[in-house]
Amino acid sequence: MILPLYLGLPMWANQDWQGSLYARHAKTDLLADYASVFSSVEGNTTFYSGAPKAETVAAWARQAPAHFRFCFKLPASITHDQRLTQLDDVWSFLAALEPLHDRLGPTMVQLPRDFGADELPKLEALLAAWPAHLPCAVEVRHPVFFHKGAAEKALNQLLITYCANRVMLDVRPVFSTPAEGHAGLAHAQQEKPKLPLHVLSTGNFPVVRFIGHIDKTINTHYFTPWKARLNLWISQGKTPFLFVHTADNRESPEMARQLYNALGELADLPPLSAFPGEAQNLLF
């Protein structure tokens, strides 16, 4: 089953979600509970720790339903240390995920902030050899790719040629106000790159990473134009992936639900299931 849109969070394991997304004392099988509500997840852990162990992948395969999609990131050792020069390591990483290949959304290639136009041949070599049955998404952070000049045109043409998806990182909400003593917001502003938003679908699986504010009205304001764009892509037969963050991610599940329901006012989307933690609370 292919969904019209996949909705997810940056992770599935977060103790702050106990009592809401998860039961208050939940400790195991969090992925199964997560996947009962959300249809995708960013696999950020692989960026830092590399390929997961075989038994870990097997456990994920048992817990995740057939419609669920994992969107893992290539390890930083490949993108940042090796700078895409050792493609055998890419294929080894994808091979480690073999039990999940029917449940892989776009694998994300997050490039370093200093990976500029002169290194695009390395990206092209990767995309030219990328397995055709696995979608790919590329997130660039060098300012030259946001100036609408020759470098950005070359990048976009490269992605279109290989049907790779350009990750759209929307940091406007989180940078819309000063942190004003809020530790989570201050950390998010320090961690996320302050880059312009360029909305462009270069492949069949547009990837949107929406980095929300602690103020819900600010998030609603910035998400409103996304509703029409996401609905347009769905009507064109594309399959968007929407990943929702908040400043400290404590409110990410609830914000994702609110934005999804708002999008449902335009797009024909299946309803989200109740959060397992909320359903348990109703029993007591």
Side-chain angles (χ1 to χ4, degrees), residues 74 78-79 82-87 90-91 107-112 115-130 136-141 145 151-152 154-160 162 164-167 202:
L74 286 188
I78 293 173
T79 56
Q82 299 172 1
R83 303 183 79 87
L84 304 184
T85 59
Q86 304 295 323
L87 294 188
V90 178
W91 315 141
T107 297
M108 289 190 276
V109 182
Q110 181 179 303
L111 295 174
F115 190 103
D118 59 330
E119 293 189 90
L120 283 180
K122 299 177 186 177
L123 178 60
E124 181 167 17
L126 171 68
L127 297 180
W130 193 270
C136 176
V138 177
E139 182 174 324
V140 292
R141 297 192 169 187
F145 294 127
E152 183 170 12
L155 168 69
N156 291 337
Q157 186 56 55
L158 176 62
L159 299 178
I160 291 170
Y162 293 102
N165 306 274
R166 180 168 178 172
V167 175
T202 58

Side-chain angles (χ1 to χ4, degrees), residues 186-203:
H187 177 73
Q189 290 179 353
Q190 293 171 359
E191 182 184 54
K192 301 300 180 186
K194 192 175 183 180
L195 293 167
L197 173 66
H198 287 192
V199 179
L200 176 68
S201 174
T202 58

Side-chain angles (χ1 to χ4, degrees), residues 25 43 47 49 58 75 110 113 173 181 183 194 236 275:
H25 302 292
F47 181 78
S49 58
Q110 181 179 303
R113 299 186 189 203
K194 192 175 183 180
Q236 292 174 338
F275 290 178

Side-chain angles (χ1 to χ4, degrees), residues 127-277:
L127 297 180
W130 193 270
H133 65 289
L134 296 177
C136 176
V138 177
E139 182 174 324
V140 292
R141 297 192 169 187
H142 195 297
V144 74
F145 294 127
F146 296 87
H147 291 166
K148 299 185 178 180
E152 183 170 12
K153 291 178 182 177
L155 168 69
N156 291 337
Q157 186 56 55
L158 176 62
L159 299 178
I160 291 170
T161 297
Y162 293 102
C163 205
N165 306 274
R166 180 168 178 172
V167 175
M168 289 158 274
L169 179 66
D170 190 352
V171 296
R172 296 173 302 165
V174 79
F175 283 107
S176 62
T177 70
E180 294 182 344
H182 189 283
L185 185 58
H187 177 73
Q189 290 179 353
Q190 293 171 359
E191 182 184 54
K192 301 300 180 186
K194 192 175 183 180
L195 293 167
L197 173 66
H198 287 192
V199 179
L200 176 68
S201 174
T202 58
N204 295 322
F205 303 94
V207 177
V208 178
R209 301 181 65 215
F210 186 87
I211 315 300
H213 196 277
I214 55 176
D215 186 328
K216 296 179 181 178
T217 59
I218 291 176
N219 297 327
T220 299
H221 168 73
Y222 283 104
F223 187 72
T224 296
W226 278 116
K227 295 193 295 184
R229 183 55 61 101
L230 290 166
N231 186 49
L232 173 63
W233 286 332
I234 293 170
S235 68
Q236 292 174 338
K238 297 190 177 190
T239 306
F241 282 73
L242 173 62
F243 295 113
V244 177
H245 302 231
T246 54
D248 55 15
N249 281 319
R250 290 182 180 180
E251 302 297 326
S252 291
E254 178 57 31
M255 191 178 86
R257 177 164 59 181
Q258 291 176 355
L259 299 185
Y260 184 85
N261 289 338
L263 177 59
E265 297 170 2
L266 285 181
D268 183 17
L269 301 175
L272 287 187
S273 299
F275 290 178

Side-chain angles (χ1 to χ4, degrees), residues 10 23 30 45 50 181:
L30 293 183
T45 55

